[in-house]
Amino acid sequence: MDTGNYCLGVILLFLWLSGPVCANNDIFLGGTVNWRSLGGGKTRFMYRSTWVRGHGPCGVGCSNTSIGKLTSGGTPFDTTFWQTTSSHGHVIDLNYVTTTISSNWEQGERVFNVSFATNSKFQLKLYTNSVTWVVSVNGAGGSNVVMETSVDTGMRNDTKEPNASPIAALPPYIGVSFGCLVTLSLPITEPDHDVLGCRLAHQTECGSGCTNLPQVYIDKSVCTITVNATADRGYSPGQTYRLALVVEDFPRFPILMGRQIKLPTDPLSRVPLQFTITVTKSPSCVSTVQFATPTLPDELRASYSMFPQPFVFASYLTVPTAGGTDFLTSLPAGMTSQRLNDDQKRQNVTRLYLTWQPERRQMGDNLACVWGKDRFGTTTSQRCVNALISDTDECRSSPCQGGGTCINLYHRFMCDCPPGLMPPLCSTHVTCADQPCLNNATCTDINSSFVCNCPKGFFGDRCRRERNLCQSFPCLNGGTCHSHHGTFTCTCPIHFSGVTCQQKGTISKKNGSNQNLTITVDNVVHQQPWIILASVLSGVLGAALLGSCCIWGLSKFWPRTKGAVGTTSDDKNAAKDSNRWSDKSSQPEQDSLRPGSYRPSSISSPIGHPAPFNTLTPIDIGGLAPPKYSNIYSSSLADPLMHRCGKV
């Protein structure tokens, strides 16, 4: 098969996780879609979706014998369609080739092509009232299913390839323990090694499936989610909550995409990421099962040259005596799994053996992820392999200079450079002409480098990181925290008030004004929750003293009555946090951005087999030359980073 000039991957993604089974037979749990430009105005999409087992396209009789078969689920699966804004027509229905079956869910994958005549920008969209979201803590999730991504296949001048969006994989279930602080790292990779960013989805981006978590902290620059699943933060054990995010990718330096300048603050793609979190009743904050050696590390990139031998890897889990251990997987189509005894004869370890013979249509980035789940339902962190199918590892020649780290990408590489140096080879110094300072910071050239003077609320060598006081979860009693440039406010639920919603009872609002206060951090040490807690306690103590004085004064004039004077007890939860946090470490103030692709842990065996040397000839793009800009990152076609996929 001729891949055309470009072999890329992109993800539109969201995932609704296993929850209570509704009476409605059409319970949509989620899906992923990646696309590759085929050239000639065509794009190939591959979507992966998940449903409650027996309620999705696989049907009531869904079993292991269904794996590898194309479903025909009937209504609404063959009457609900993907569509694009460019063609305004139906593209493909919701049936798929079944890939994974478990006790609670089913998952599948399907490929379809979309043609666009002149415009490389369009949206792929699933919008329907025919299927219902999974039930969550607030009742039915609703039937307004919205799944949408912005696709822009414009040619980039830094990679000489069409733009690609993030690729991700998620399990059909995530379980966190009640009373614990848990941070979830999302398995997301970026084929162009752009900078990733995550945010909460707006109402128009998630329909009836928007976030209903009582409190959640999202580190936008590294795409992690922190949940403080305690009662004073509004969580209840045994409940399922929704979370709707949007994942975006940003160029590291100014580039041209088509004839348009894209700055490091301009998102190149917008993809949804939606899933649910179930709060379990586990006695431990950490899952009672853990990955064991020789399980591969997470964030592994592996080149595979499509030799006749299959792509093989395994994961190992410890098995407690109580039992109930299970593997959760999100796999490409055609990958099969077997649960076997430990090949090292360990009695307390079980393994999951995965094999895969990729097809030519799967060339490029393919994420395969495995999680562990204990008998309480608490899940482990993931172990993911990004298999680069029909690829060689260009990092073997150690091309990066200046202390840069080589990132193996599909049919090319990228150098992850130290501060002050820039791609492709980390041989060029960054100056203010490259517009390195973000968020309205001022830039000053110093010798062959630069210094950014960050505005209030931002930090890092390029001022990309934002101080977020919501990370310390200051809002109590189910209050919602809002952070903005080093300040925060709490939106309190009914019957609670105060700066951190610590007071029971509402405060009367004069002229309808909002009484929530804003706390600044000009003189507050970053990420020290005890300082905020001390401020709150001092305020509560002051109010208590003032109230005591008032009561004493009134007692001089008020007639005495029998019995004790009634007092209102303070909220005891305002003075303490959960002692079951799984991670109490604070994050250093550095510009440690989540890289847009996994770390270059490239190996040849047993994951893949050494590929023969390929001579790849650069292909002339042709057409009009883009305008010249001195501050636009560009590379020569002669650079080894820029070679083409060619024919395989």
Side-chain angles (χ1 to χ4, degrees), residues 155 157 255-261 623-634:
M155 185 69 66
N157 77 316
I255 65 170
L256 282 173
M257 199 158 75
R259 299 179 65 88
Q260 185 178 8
I261 299 176
L624 297 175
K628 300 293 184 180
Y629 296 90
S630 59
N631 62 340
I632 302 298
Y633 165 46
S634 182

Side-chain angles (χ1 to χ4, degrees), residues 53-67 69 101 106:
R53 181 176 177 178
H55 295 260
C58 190
V60 177
C62 194
S63 64
N64 288 332
T65 59
S66 305
I67 295 178
K69 299 178 181 179
I101 300 295
E106 62 182 66

Side-chain angles (χ1 to χ4, degrees), residues 194-211:
D194 291 323
V195 174
L196 290 171
C198 298
R199 59 175 174 83
L200 284 176
H202 305 309
Q203 183 69 43
T204 56
E205 297 171 317
C206 48
S208 63
C210 292
T211 300

Side-chain angles (χ1 to χ4, degrees), residues 491-513:
T491 300
C492 302
I494 191 171
H495 304 314
F496 289 94
S497 61
V499 175
T500 59
C501 307
Q502 78 279 7
Q503 298 173 352
K504 192 170 184 179
T506 57
I507 298 177
S508 60
K509 297 182 179 181
K510 186 177 181 180
N511 298 327
S513 60

Side-chain angles (χ1 to χ4, degrees), residues 354-375:
L354 300 107
T355 60
W356 184 31
Q357 190 68 59
E359 300 179 12
R360 301 179 72 86
R361 64 179 177 85
Q362 295 174 308
M363 292 187 296
D365 296 75
N366 293 266
L367 272 183
C369 297
V370 180
W371 294 257
K373 181 172 73 73
D374 64 21
R375 68 186 182 95

Side-chain angles (χ1 to χ4, degrees), residues 74-138:
T75 304
F77 310 110
D78 54 6
T79 57
T80 302
F81 296 90
W82 299 90
Q83 60 183 342
T84 64
T85 55
S86 58
S87 62
H88 302 286
H90 296 164
V91 177
I92 198 70
D93 59 36
L94 298 183
N95 288 297
Y96 52 49
V97 176
T98 306
T99 58
T100 302
I101 300 295
S102 72
S103 59
N104 297 317
W105 60 87
E106 62 182 66
Q107 190 176 98
E109 190 175 76
R110 196 176 186 184
V111 173
F112 62 92
N113 297 338
V114 174
S115 298
F116 50 93
T118 57
N119 191 0
S120 62
K121 298 181 181 179
F122 62 93
Q123 289 181 328
L124 179 70
K125 184 176 182 179
L126 176 65
Y127 180 83
T128 177
N129 292 321
S130 301
V131 296
T132 303
W133 296 111
V134 66
V135 166
S136 67
V137 67
N138 290 345

Side-chain angles (χ1 to χ4, degrees), residues 35 109 121 175 184 195 229 238 268 293 297 310 313 338 368 409 433 441 474 530 544 546:
W35 56 261
E109 190 175 76
K121 298 181 181 179
L184 306 173
V195 174
L268 304 179
T293 58
F313 69 99
Q338 290 179 288
L409 304 177
W530 64 269
L546 180 60

Side-chain angles (χ1 to χ4, degrees), residues 75 151 162 220 285 605:
T75 304
V151 178
K220 296 184 291 185
C285 288
S605 179

